[in-house]
Amino acid sequence: MAKEDVFKNLIAHCKEYGFIFQSSEIYDGLSAVYDYGQNGTELKNNIKTYWWDSMILLNENIVGLDSAIFMHPKTWKASGHIDTFNDPLIDNKDSKKRYRADDLIEEYIEKIEAKINKEIDKAKKKFGDTFDEKMYRETNPRVMVNQEKINILNERFVKAMKENDLEDLRQIILDYEIACPVSGTRNWTDVRQFNLMFATEMGSTANGAMKIYLRPETAQGIFVNYINVQKTGRMKLPFGIAQIGKAFRNEIVARQFIFRMREFEQMEMQYFIKPGTEKEWFEHWKNVRMKWHKALGFGDESYRFYDHEKLAHYASVATDIEFNFPFGFREVEGIHSRTDFDLGQHQKLSGKKLQYFDPETNKSFVPYVVETSLGLDRTFLLIISAAYHEEEIKKEDGSLDTRVVLKLPPVLAPVKLAILPLVKKDGLPEISRRIMNDLKYDFNCQYEEKDSIGRRYRRQDAIGTPYCITVDHQTTQDNTVTIRYRDSMQQERVKINKLRSIISEKVDMSSFLRKLDKD
Ligand code: ATP
């Protein structure tokens, strides 16, 4: 099945099994805003725990924070968001569709890259093991022409973005004959800047309400609390502050399900360091964060770094961790070296000293910052799309059937085990309830007695439950049950009193975290 079709099925699956619903669906929905259902909430909470514990438990110099969404409006002047947190937008006059001008150009570049990759794949197949990709890229005329085209366009594009040259952005779209994907025409408006922050008012208008913003990133809550945390926690450089919270962006084009939302959650960590050590810490956090992703077990080849050429207004160096989503490699996390930009700006606009006194040198300075900024919803999408499998399996009568299974890492699964009496009589429900009452303190368990055992297994597969415990007549004689493993569908007979240790070995967060500390 084509990747796009599988992605459509995944979106339908997320709704059908209580992971994600469109916001305000009964009113036909609110665009790019989503609600997490009963299973989605559990999965999301487990992702948060994985991130939070990896920051707070594994690093004795990282502490947490929970700052408010509303902040003094000067915050956003200082951070540069009021003046520069813009996207260049352009409309097609025929389709009346709105696009980000930079997206249109990036997609055009991606198309040329796809041509190059197709050429390389063909050659790989033809030459087999002897294929030398580097040499092929440097000598094949068609690849070289396309690569040169990308280089020239990229240079002009990066310059236009850096210099905020909206006219040239439009001219690039015209020069490269980029057409609207809907109308197919090149009848474009001018490019305009559009600020992504949502504004609202605080206080009653009669008393002169203040215009405030919904935060577009959680980081600024950390910067303005730098001194509070440093002083009250007696923190020494280097140290970090981690936060999980909502952020809001009025995205022009919201697409690809929960990949780009208008209300989303971020998991950010700002690491305060001595100036001059930023290169070393940038490399450190790049590696730590990549390891965190890869530990989920979805295949190392699904991740890559993408170094930024066009930097955000605050960054000196930046890289993205990209994941191969069903729609291609896209950013899931940003790692940015922010220098003393933010603290310096807040110091200037607030008039308050945001410095660190170094007892070793007896000098005060504004610390530098390296941050790791991960989208919680994007991580959710990454995990659920990598876990989603439509498998063909053989039924007992030999006919083929499709099984939909979420192969989630057990530690993240919303429900860890389902307890299923084979039949609703002969004392089996009572034994099942006793097992559930014993294990419910340790794991999120589900009890199910309706429908055939096969259908119940399928329902659990569909929400990613790693273990199904079946209580049958033999249980009444020897206190054993069968445990069925989600991925292999194998079953094993085990003693009831062994269940806790078998399950906790696989779903325990602390054993999972231990993997991160191993080299
Ligand atoms: P993009 O280029 O995709 O717009 P960004 O570079 O603006 O993202 P950052 O400001 O670096 O993103 O934010 C850090 C992380 O927050 C991103 O890596 C992403 O995971 C997440 N994020 C940003 N915008 C959104 C959004 N609109 N919806 C969901 N997650 C988002």
Side-chain angles (χ1 to χ4, degrees), residues 249 251 259-261 264 266 331-332 336 373 375 378:
R249 295 183 189 178
E251 299 281 0
F259 182 81
R260 190 171 298 287
M261 302 155 90
F264 58 100
Q266 288 186 315
E331 167 180 350
V332 61
H336 311 125
S373 177
R378 260 185 217 181

Side-chain angles (χ1 to χ4, degrees), residues 409-453:
V411 68
L412 299 184
V415 176
K416 304 299 188 211
L417 74 153
I419 300 164
L420 317 169
L422 188 63
V423 288
K424 265 193 270 178
K425 53 182 187 183
D426 305 333
L428 305 190
E430 289 74 15
I431 302 175
S432 304
R433 284 283 177 200
R434 274 206 297 278
I435 299 176
M436 169 114 173
N437 281 335
D438 182 36
L439 296 179
K440 71 181 179 189
Y441 303 98
D442 301 290
F443 315 111
N444 189 341
C445 310
Q446 224 171 55
Y447 172 85
E448 261 211 299
E449 56 178 27
K450 202 170 166 287
D451 294 329
S452 73
I453 196 77

Side-chain angles (χ1 to χ4, degrees), residues 43-61:
L43 174 55
K44 200 174 171 196
N45 283 341
N46 293 339
I47 299 170
K48 283 191 209 178
T49 306
Y50 176 39
W51 183 85
W52 188 260
D53 287 357
S54 76
M55 286 292 171
I56 305 291
L57 302 189
L58 304 192
N59 299 280
E60 54 185 285
N61 62 346

Side-chain angles (χ1 to χ4, degrees), residues 89-138:
L89 67 84
I90 189 165
D91 294 276
N92 183 271
K93 290 183 195 163
D94 298 319
S95 67
K96 309 270 182 267
K97 289 274 173 207
R98 178 161 289 177
Y99 300 93
R100 269 171 62 174
D102 54 336
D103 276 357
L104 286 175
I105 299 170
E106 273 168 8
E107 275 160 22
Y108 180 80
I109 294 174
E110 271 173 24
K111 273 190 201 143
I112 312 178
E113 265 165 3
K115 272 190 201 161
I116 296 179
N117 289 339
K118 209 168 155 192
E119 199 89 46
I120 287 172
D121 282 347
K122 244 177 29 199
K124 246 185 214 159
K125 275 196 196 119
K126 194 167 150 197
F127 297 113
D129 289 345
T130 57
F131 181 64
D132 180 344
E133 184 175 329
K134 188 164 174 284
M135 192 162 90
Y136 190 77
R137 279 182 184 273
E138 286 164 4

